Amino acid sequence: MTLNKKEISELLPHREPMLLIDKLYDIKKLISASALVNVKRDSFFVQGHFPDNPVMPGVLIVECFGQAAAALTAHGLDKSTYENKLVFLMGVEKARFRNPVIPDCELILKIEAIRSHGRVWKYKGEAFVNEIKMADAVWSATIVDKK
């Protein structure tokens, strides 16, 4: 199963320019998925990070992990369970940035839900460009009511 950007936007509250995930695919319901992020030279963060040597900020790679995990979870839950809810990042553990992500590439994320307990979920993920690992992390998130 594959979700395009429009379908992802129906699951997440994020909008341009902060909706970073372009596609979610290889979805195994509430277990794992892959995500595509098109890192472009005209991406909003390139202007200032860094103009002569653009690099995708590590914090945005973590944001991509979080968005992919939230979309995986929202897609897997019954709509009535997820309706009027938001997913918030709670913590990031063991985030490592192994290589810089240079614009004009496809960043591929491989994410997995490690466990869930009530409204709290724990995930792990790896990010690749051309099959080279760029980053990895473990993080947790919670599902909360919209206010």
Side-chain angles (χ1 to χ4, degrees), residues 21-84:
I21 304 299
D22 292 294
K23 181 167 74 169
L24 193 71
Y25 60 99
D26 292 340
I27 302 167
K28 293 182 184 140
K29 186 178 178 178
L30 297 175
I31 296 171
S32 65
S34 296
L36 167 69
V37 179
N38 289 307
V39 182
K40 300 175 187 168
R41 189 157 293 280
D42 65 351
S43 296
F44 73 93
F45 54 82
V46 172
Q47 272 186 309
H49 199 270
F50 302 101
D52 295 330
N53 295 295
V55 176
M56 183 176 194
V59 69
L60 291 182
I61 297 171
V62 172
E63 175 66 20
C64 291
F65 281 142
Q67 288 184 20
L72 168 68
T73 304
H75 179 69
L77 294 174
D78 180 83
K79 187 173 181 171
S80 65
T81 303
Y82 191 75
E83 210 167 40
N84 297 312

Side-chain angles (χ1 to χ4, degrees), residues 4-137:
N4 62 32
K5 194 160 193 158
K6 181 181 182 307
E7 292 165 319
I8 294 166
S9 75
E10 293 168 5
L11 298 171
L12 301 180
H14 304 77
R15 295 296 175 261
E16 297 296 341
M18 281 305 296
L19 180 57
L20 301 173
I21 304 299
D22 292 294
K23 181 167 74 169
L24 193 71
Y25 60 99
D26 292 340
I27 302 167
K28 293 182 184 140
K29 186 178 178 178
L30 297 175
I31 296 171
S32 65
S34 296
L36 167 69
V37 179
N38 289 307
V39 182
K40 300 175 187 168
R41 189 157 293 280
D42 65 351
S43 296
F44 73 93
F45 54 82
V46 172
Q47 272 186 309
H49 199 270
F50 302 101
D52 295 330
N53 295 295
V55 176
M56 183 176 194
V59 69
L60 291 182
I61 297 171
V62 172
E63 175 66 20
C64 291
F65 281 142
Q67 288 184 20
L72 168 68
T73 304
H75 179 69
L77 294 174
D78 180 83
K79 187 173 181 171
S80 65
T81 303
Y82 191 75
E83 210 167 40
N84 297 312
K85 307 280 190 227
L86 295 171
V87 177
F88 285 137
L89 190 64
M90 291 178 58
V92 179
E93 305 168 32
K94 303 177 189 174
R96 287 174 273 190
F97 306 99
R98 299 168 183 280
N99 293 291
V101 176
I102 308 300
D104 293 330
C105 70
E106 290 185 340
L107 184 65
I108 304 298
L109 309 177
K110 306 284 185 182
I111 60 161
E112 182 181 337
I114 300 171
R115 70 175 176 263
S116 68
H117 183 72
R119 292 182 169 212
V120 177
W121 291 70
K122 191 165 190 172
Y123 306 90
K124 68 179 179 177
E126 297 176 311
F128 300 88
V129 172
N130 296 324
E131 298 182 15
I132 298 169
K133 189 186 288 190
M134 310 308 271
D136 54 80

